[in-house]
Amino acid sequence: MTMQDKPIFEQKYSVLDSDMDINYLVTPLAVLKYYQDCVSKFMASRHLAAFDLVQKKLFWNISEQNVRFTDTRAVWGDKIVVEIWINGIVPSKIFINYRVRIENGREFAEGCASWSILHLDTREPAEMEKILKDAGIKTEEEKERVHVDYNVEPGKPVSQLNHVVNLTDLDISGHTGNASYLRLAVNALSANEVKDLEPDFLSIRFLKESFLKDSLTCNLYQTEDAHEQTIARAEIVNASGCKISQIYCTWRPNIGHEYSAQVQQLRRSVRH
């Protein structure tokens, strides 16, 4: 570990049964959820939690986030540790990297997200650098980040799913939470695809807000590359055709033995 990626904060979690997929492995959505919670707890320790900001008519906003799986994902009951560190601060954004590992064991995921503080009334960026400095968070020079091509291939989508934003989709800011967009894209996949493909990398970009009762459509496009990876790109649009969110992910064939040992161990631990 270098000084550049030395964690500034860490948090422990237990993988819940509701966080597993049909292969008994923790879902990408759950990993992103743990990461966001870890960042939120760090910001709360600096009096920059959502409930602190709302008193100043401000709120946190994530514009882009990603996760890359570097090893077999955790299973139900595993104790995991999320570590975060700052990858750079620019006038309107802070980039926060993370890694996720089994407690006292191997790392299995890593990624980054860009966070902004916006004014509730105008949705305009607040003075990020000043707010962070006042909270004692050291300004860092922006380092190299992952750049993703979200543009879809011309042609018809392989799958299309419509959704009306409901109360369970909303977050504390009153708009559709980022997890809901990812769930919508995952639901556009077939059950066989989720079972037979192992997620490798996922990135999601948020372009425009949506609110209660808005009609959304997820268009899913898929291609395959020379390395037998399935590349999926999704665009979520509103009823006016405006892009709300874009998602890019790569999947590799699930050859079975990658998770069989973990599942067998899980079954033995549950029986005893």
Side-chain angles (χ1 to χ4, degrees), residues 51 67 86 223:
F51 48 77
V67 58
I86 296 173
T223 57

Side-chain angles (χ1 to χ4, degrees), residues 15-29:
V15 177
L16 304 176
D17 58 348
S18 57
D19 292 333
M20 295 188 303
D21 63 14
I22 57 179
N23 289 324
Y24 303 94
L25 302 173
V26 66
T27 66
L29 179 57

Side-chain angles (χ1 to χ4, degrees), residues 138-185:
K138 183 181 178 182
T139 300
E140 302 276 350
E141 292 184 2
E142 185 183 359
K143 305 176 184 70
E144 184 178 356
R145 294 183 292 111
V146 175
H147 295 279
V148 178
D149 179 12
Y150 292 96
N151 295 320
V152 300
E153 298 291 333
K156 292 184 178 180
V158 297
S159 178
Q160 188 176 77
L161 186 65
N162 297 317
H163 177 73
V164 177
V165 177
N166 56 55
L167 286 173
T168 62
D169 292 317
L170 304 183
D171 63 15
I172 57 177
S173 298
H175 58 200
T176 305
N178 48 43
S180 294
Y181 297 124
L182 187 54
R183 276 195 295 267
L184 179 56

Side-chain angles (χ1 to χ4, degrees), residues 12 79-81 101-106:
K12 296 179 181 179
K79 301 292 190 294
I80 64 172
V81 179
R101 58 179 172 84
I102 307 292
E103 187 176 19
N104 301 320
R106 60 186 173 79

Side-chain angles (χ1 to χ4, degrees), residues 2-270:
T2 65
M3 289 300 293
Q4 286 81 2
D5 61 8
K6 184 177 180 180
I8 58 172
F9 189 80
E10 68 176 42
Q11 192 73 24
K12 296 179 181 179
Y13 302 90
S14 293
V15 177
L16 304 176
D17 58 348
S18 57
D19 292 333
M20 295 188 303
D21 63 14
I22 57 179
N23 289 324
Y24 303 94
L25 302 173
V26 66
T27 66
L29 179 57
V31 171
L32 294 175
K33 179 183 69 175
Y34 297 140
Y35 160 67
Q36 290 182 36
D37 184 75
C38 184
V39 173
S40 297
K41 285 186 168 64
F42 168 69
M43 292 302 174
S45 72
R46 302 303 179 95
H47 303 287
L48 291 178
F51 48 77
D52 296 312
L53 293 184
V54 74
Q55 298 177 35
K56 303 175 183 178
K57 295 188 176 181
L58 301 170
F59 71 99
W60 280 107
N61 182 68
I62 300 177
S63 56
E64 188 172 16
Q65 61 180 332
N66 64 61
V67 58
R68 183 181 300 281
F69 292 98
T70 56
D71 204 338
T72 305
R73 290 172 284 153
V75 298
W76 177 43
D78 275 345
K79 301 292 190 294
I80 64 172
V81 179
V82 179
E83 301 172 335
I84 63 172
W85 66 96
I86 296 173
N87 189 43
I89 299 174
V90 296
S92 62
K93 293 181 182 180
I94 179 173
F95 302 97
I96 304 178
N97 280 22
Y98 68 99
R99 65 170 64 91
V100 187
R101 58 179 172 84
I102 307 292
E103 187 176 19
N104 301 320
R106 60 186 173 79
E107 174 188 321
F108 68 89
E110 63 182 15
C112 181
S114 56
W115 300 68
S116 301
I117 296 177
L118 306 180
H119 291 277
L120 270 172
D121 296 335
T122 65
R123 266 34 186 184
E124 292 296 320
E127 296 181 68
M128 172 69 77
E129 290 180 300
K130 182 181 184 305
I131 293 173
L132 297 178
K133 183 179 179 181
D134 291 345
I137 298 177
K138 183 181 178 182
T139 300
E140 302 276 350
E141 292 184 2
E142 185 183 359
K143 305 176 184 70
E144 184 178 356
R145 294 183 292 111
V146 175
H147 295 279
V148 178
D149 179 12
Y150 292 96
N151 295 320
V152 300
E153 298 291 333
K156 292 184 178 180
V158 297
S159 178
Q160 188 176 77
L161 186 65
N162 297 317
H163 177 73
V164 177
V165 177
N166 56 55
L167 286 173
T168 62
D169 292 317
L170 304 183
D171 63 15
I172 57 177
S173 298
H175 58 200
T176 305
N178 48 43
S180 294
Y181 297 124
L182 187 54
R183 276 195 295 267
L184 179 56
V186 171
N187 286 334
L189 297 168
S190 69
N192 285 337
E193 287 174 314
V194 175
K195 184 177 181 180
D196 298 337
L197 296 175
E198 178 69 14
D200 180 58
F201 175 78
L202 184 147
S203 188
I204 179 168
R205 179 166 64 177
F206 309 100
L207 304 173
K208 186 178 177 64
E209 292 178 286
S210 65
F211 300 92
L212 184 65
K213 302 302 183 182
D214 281 355
S215 295
L216 304 178
T217 299
C218 177
N219 296 309
L220 181 69
Y221 302 80
Q222 287 185 198
T223 57
E224 289 190 6
D225 65 10
H227 305 288
E228 295 187 337
Q229 278 190 326
T230 297
I231 301 173
R233 290 179 173 90
E235 286 188 345
I236 298 174
V237 300
N238 62 17
S240 301
C242 295
K243 294 178 184 177
I244 302 295
S245 178
Q246 293 175 301
I247 298 168
Y248 173 93
C249 57
T250 59
W251 309 72
R252 63 182 186 274
N254 188 338
I255 56 178
H257 66 73
E258 290 190 17
Y259 64 90
S260 59
Q262 281 78 9
V263 171
Q264 290 172 11
Q265 181 180 359
L266 169 64
R267 288 170 175 165
R268 285 195 296 269
S269 65
V270 170

